[in-house]
Amino acid sequence: MLKKIAVGFVIVPVLGMLVLSAASRPSSAAPADDFDAAATYKAKCQMCHTATASKFFDTSKTEEQMVEAILKGVKGEKPPAMPAFEAKGITAEQAKALETYMRSLKQ
């Protein structure tokens, strides 16, 4: 009986810590409704594409092509190449929001 109580005093706190640590971890990607395309663009895209999306943004490409470029990246002839943002937690829906935001800057 004493062994069961001792084991309980060890296992219960360990399980509690595991549950709390899993609950407190932020997810790798923000939900689409919480995604701020403008803030993400300013933080991650504007440095290369400019504030008005006037560089390295081809509006003749389809939405699907642009989303693919955001997610998978683009290898350029000269560095810096565009990184793959899917690996950084951007979802397809968020990439579409970024693409739409960039098109709105061009108007």
Side-chain angles (χ1 to χ4, degrees):
M1 177 79 169
L2 191 55
K3 281 185 179 182
K4 289 181 182 179
I5 293 173
V7 169
F9 277 117
V10 171
I11 291 178
V12 171
V14 169
L15 288 175
M17 287 176 18
L18 289 173
V19 168
L20 288 175
S21 71
S24 67
R25 277 188 222 136
S27 67
S28 61
D33 3 341
D34 294 343
F35 183 72
D36 185 351
T40 301
Y41 180 82
K42 287 175 185 153
K44 301 192 180 295
C45 311
Q46 182 173 310
M47 65 195 82
C48 293
H49 294 287
T50 75
T52 59
S54 60
K55 288 187 175 182
F56 313 114
F57 181 63
D58 185 359
T59 56
S60 69
K61 291 187 177 184
T62 66
E63 177 183 287
E64 292 80 20
Q65 290 172 315
M66 297 305 295
V67 167
E68 182 75 9
I70 293 167
L71 294 174
K72 304 297 181 192
V74 178
K75 293 180 181 175
E77 292 179 23
K78 298 187 267 182
M82 183 167 157
F85 284 96
E86 184 175 43
K88 297 178 182 209
I90 298 290
T91 66
E93 194 170 298
Q94 293 168 340
K96 182 177 177 182
L98 276 170
E99 185 271 343
T100 301
Y101 177 74
M102 288 180 76
R103 285 191 192 275
S104 75
L105 294 174
K106 297 287 280 188
Q107 295 177 0

